[in-house]
Every structure is written in C-alpha cells, then in structure tokens.
C-alpha cells in the first residue's frame, strides 16, 4: 500500500505505554518508517499512563491519544488495569487500544478483550519482524479502520 492509496490523517497522537527500552526503540523505528505524521508519546509505567490519558498531574496539557499501544506487564499499575479504567470512562472509551505484549498466556488475551481492547498482538521475537508488525498495526488503524469522527 502506498501513500496515495490511503486517506492519511493530517496528524495523530500515539500513546506508547512500554517499560522495556529495547521494545520502545523498535516500536519507534516502526512508527518512523510509516507514512503517517505521528507524534509518539512514550510512558513507561501504568500510573503515568493513566495520568496522561486522564490529563492529570504532569500531563494536564497532554493531547487525547488517537491510538494507545499498551504493554500488559508494567511497573506500578498493570496494563490490564490501565485498559479497564480507560474503557470504563465514557469520554475515552472509544480510544483504540492495541495490547502489544510478550505474554503467551491465554488468560492475558481473554482479560484484554474482556476489558475491551481493540486488538491483542504478540510481540515478535526478531527485531525486523517487530518493526514490521508495528508498521502493520499503524497502517491498519490509520489507513484501513474507520474510526468515529472527533466530537468537538
């Protein structure tokens, strides 16, 4: 798919919630390789993720993310709790959340969908595949999936 084949958004804010610096680096490579004008905000723990999403504390001026990429195994507040709190809020429940995890546990997949994750993706083991997977996720959510219009 080329840039001419898709309806590119003017820009988008992605909240990346990941505590592993190596995974963050690979994900940023995937975001940078996409044709989309993305601003990636990186948070490394669940408490700060909730503050960013709910615009509290140091994140009072944070933009509402257009997409959240969420790891499950986070310091402080775990990813499944972040997901559940976000999806319970009527003003934020439509924000797409992709759970991106190294967990192979079926219970983690079930819990993610029970908390209304939009998708659950297993992190690939190899760097090239990891970067390509992020590119596919970005393409899916910004080129193929129809999202509700902003209510301003």
């Amino acid at each position: 798919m080329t840039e001419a084949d898709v309806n590119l958004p003017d820009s988008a804010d992605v909240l990346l919630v990941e505590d592993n610096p190596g995974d963050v680096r690979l994900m940023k490579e995937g975001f940078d390789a996409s044709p989309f004008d993305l601003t990636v905000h990186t948070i490394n723990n669940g408490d700060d993720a909730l503050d960013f999403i709910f615009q509290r504390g140091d994140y009072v001026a944070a933009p509402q993310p257009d997409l959240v990429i969420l790891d499950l195994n986070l310091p402080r507040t775990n990813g499944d709790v972040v997901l559940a709190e976000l999806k319970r809020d009527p003003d934020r429940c439509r924000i797409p959340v992709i759970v991106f995890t190294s967990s192979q546990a079926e219970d983690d997949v079930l819990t993610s969908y029970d908390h209304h994750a939009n998708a659950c993706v297993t992190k690939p083991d190899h760097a090239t595949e990891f970067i390509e997977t992020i590119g596919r996720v970005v393409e899916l959510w910004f080129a193929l999936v129809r999202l509700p219009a902003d209510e301003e």
Side-chain angles (χ1 to χ4, degrees):
M1 181 172 288
T2 67
E3 193 168 332
D5 296 331
V6 297
N7 184 13
L8 298 175
D10 291 335
S11 64
D13 286 286
V14 175
L15 177 59
L16 171 57
V17 187
E18 173 62 63
D19 63 319
N20 181 316
D23 289 352
V24 168
R25 183 183 57 77
L26 291 172
M27 286 186 204
K28 285 187 174 181
E29 285 186 43
F31 292 128
D32 290 345
S34 82
F36 303 97
D37 180 16
L38 302 176
T39 301
V40 180
H41 308 272
T42 305
I43 301 292
N44 64 9
N45 68 72
D47 290 352
D48 286 348
L50 287 169
D51 286 348
F52 187 101
I53 291 163
F54 289 97
Q55 299 170 312
R56 303 184 295 221
D58 292 341
Y59 302 100
V60 72
Q64 177 110 337
D66 298 297
L67 175 67
V68 176
I69 307 286
L70 179 67
D71 186 26
L72 291 180
N73 299 313
L74 296 169
R76 302 185 191 154
T77 302
N78 206 0
D80 58 342
V81 174
V82 172
L83 176 61
E85 286 192 35
L86 183 156
K87 292 298 186 173
R88 262 195 302 266
D89 184 86
D91 295 328
R92 291 165 181 87
C93 64
R94 290 188 180 135
I95 297 171
V97 178
I98 309 300
V99 172
F100 204 75
T101 182
S102 56
S103 173
Q104 298 289 328
E106 188 64 22
D107 285 347
D108 287 339
V109 173
L110 290 171
T111 298
S112 295
Y113 284 113
D114 285 347
H115 291 147
H116 306 287
N118 296 85
C120 191
V121 177
T122 301
K123 292 178 184 176
D125 292 331
H126 301 289
T128 303
E129 204 176 311
F130 199 110
I131 294 165
E132 289 172 358
T133 299
I134 287 296
R136 287 188 198 114
V137 167
V138 168
E139 182 178 315
L140 172 68
W141 287 100
F142 293 115
L144 299 175
V145 171
R146 182 171 176 203
L147 298 172
D150 288 336
E151 296 176 22
E152 306 256 341

